[in-house]
């Protein structure tokens, strides 16, 4: 997998630096390495944002964390990522990545929501315990400090709703949703505000690891698009 991160907050906000001194991408790489993945990282300020054709062509699943610099992501790179997703690469979008160019393009909606930045408890309920992303999770788990995201969340109806969040202020949120686009699988996962140590929490890392395995599952044969042969010719080839 490749973990993509803006890597801006960690360099210009001392509070974030104290939580993620080497960057959110390195915290995720460290936590996910326990699951046996081969993991690379890429950041916004690298050439081509670190997402060269070579990198993407060797990536089964791309994890995306962005926040303050969505508009700085080059449209050509967004198109490159979209093409890879449509051709089978998995995509896991975290927290404020809901407003990234790539997620909005794949969803076709504003992906807007309400939010409140406060030290607030979040309880994440597993609402589809049979889903592979929920494997090994308890009925719910809690994060003592997180940023609130609330409905309405302007996304298409998800293929599957795996996790729902409740916050102390009373709001609820669809915090774990899946989609398919072309041959690619997409998972959006809500937690991960940069000032809280969320990505060190075992249940959070477990969800992301499960999502990587789910998104990287083998696909069926790539479909053929174009001028189709008459059925009798296809049948003759099969019989031969």
């Amino acid at each position: 997998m490749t973990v993509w991160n803006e890597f801006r907050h960690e360099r210009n906000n001392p509070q974030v630096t104290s939580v993620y001194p080497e960057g959110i991408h390195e915290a995720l790489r460290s936590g996910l390495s326990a699951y046996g993945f081969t993991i690379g990282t890429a950041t916004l300020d690298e050439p081509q944002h670190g997402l060269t054709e070579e990198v993407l062509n060797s990536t089964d699943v791309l994890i995306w964390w962005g926040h303050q610099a969505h508009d700085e992501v080059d449209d050509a790179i967004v198109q490159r990522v979209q093409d890879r997703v449509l051709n089978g690469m998995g995509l896991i979008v975290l927290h404020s990545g809901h407003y990234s160019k790539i997620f909005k393009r794949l969803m076709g909606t504003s992906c807007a929501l309400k939010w409140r930045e406060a030290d607030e408890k979040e309880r994440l309920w597993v609402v589809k315990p049979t889903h592979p992303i929920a494997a090994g999770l308890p009925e719910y788990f809690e994060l003592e400090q997180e940023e609130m995201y609330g409905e309405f969340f302007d996304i298409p109806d998800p293929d599957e709703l795996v996790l729902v969040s409740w916050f102390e202020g009373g709001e609820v949120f669809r915090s774990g949703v899946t989609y398919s686009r072309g041959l690619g699988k997409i998972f959006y996962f809500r937690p991960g505000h940069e000032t809280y140590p969320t990505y060190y929490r075992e249940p959070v890392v477990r969800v992301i690891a499960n999502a990587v395995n789910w998104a990287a599952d083998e696909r069926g044969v790539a479909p053929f698009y174009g001028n189709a042969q008459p059925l009798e010719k296809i049948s003759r080839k099969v019989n031969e």
Side-chain angles (χ1 to χ4, degrees), residues 173-184:
F173 190 78
R174 290 169 289 170
S175 54
V177 294
T178 73
Y179 295 93
S180 61
R181 293 291 186 270
L183 296 177

Side-chain angles (χ1 to χ4, degrees), residues 7-239:
F7 196 34
R8 289 283 181 82
H9 290 293
E10 302 94 316
R11 291 183 291 163
N12 59 32
N13 185 327
Q15 184 180 4
V16 181
T17 304
S18 68
V19 179
Y20 296 108
E22 297 181 352
I24 288 173
H25 54 296
E26 289 297 340
L28 287 168
R29 172 154 64 175
S30 177
L32 291 167
S33 64
Y35 290 84
F37 300 121
T38 300
I39 306 171
T41 64
T43 58
L44 178 66
D45 292 325
E46 296 177 44
Q48 301 183 59
H49 309 321
L51 299 176
T52 64
E53 290 187 2
E54 181 180 8
V55 167
L56 287 176
N57 287 338
S58 63
T59 297
D60 294 315
V61 179
L62 177 65
I63 296 176
W64 192 281
W65 195 100
H67 187 198
Q68 65 177 183
H70 296 311
D71 291 343
E72 295 183 39
V73 178
D74 189 281
D75 289 340
I77 303 302
V78 176
Q79 184 64 57
R80 184 182 295 170
V81 173
Q82 181 182 14
D83 290 344
R84 279 288 293 124
V85 171
L86 296 179
N87 283 285
M89 182 182 72
L91 177 65
I92 299 172
V93 177
L94 301 176
H95 191 59
S96 45
H98 72 91
Y99 222 53
S100 63
K101 286 183 177 181
I102 183 59
F103 191 64
K104 290 196 291 184
R105 179 179 292 192
L106 288 165
M107 296 298 102
T109 58
S110 75
C111 298
L113 48 81
K114 63 169 61 72
W115 58 274
R116 179 174 57 251
E117 187 173 344
D119 291 341
E120 194 164 339
K121 180 189 293 185
E122 177 180 4
R123 178 175 293 173
L124 292 104
W125 289 92
V126 175
V127 294
K128 191 162 188 178
T130 59
H131 197 281
I133 293 175
L137 294 177
E139 185 179 25
Y140 70 86
F141 59 92
E142 293 183 347
L143 303 172
E144 292 302 320
Q145 293 179 308
E146 255 297 346
E147 180 180 34
M148 187 281 292
Y149 279 10
E151 298 287 348
F152 176 63
F153 186 17
D154 186 21
I155 53 174
D157 289 342
D159 295 345
E160 300 161 302
L161 178 61
V162 183
L163 294 150
V164 170
S165 288
W166 165 89
F167 297 88
E168 287 184 278
E171 294 86 0
V172 295
F173 190 78
R174 290 169 289 170
S175 54
V177 294
T178 73
Y179 295 93
S180 61
R181 293 291 186 270
L183 296 177
K185 295 180 179 181
I186 302 167
F187 180 60
Y188 171 76
F189 186 40
R190 196 219 71 83
H193 188 61
E194 66 275 4
T195 60
Y196 304 121
T198 300
Y199 293 127
Y200 299 116
R201 293 290 309 278
E202 193 280 331
V204 171
V205 177
R206 178 63 183 262
V207 169
I208 297 171
N210 287 346
V212 169
N213 284 322
W214 167 81
D217 276 348
E218 291 187 8
R219 313 293 194 265
V221 64
F224 167 79
Y225 300 111
N227 187 25
Q229 297 182 25
L231 182 60
E232 60 270 18
K233 289 185 179 180
I234 297 174
S235 300
R236 192 179 307 125
K237 284 186 177 181
V238 171
N239 292 331

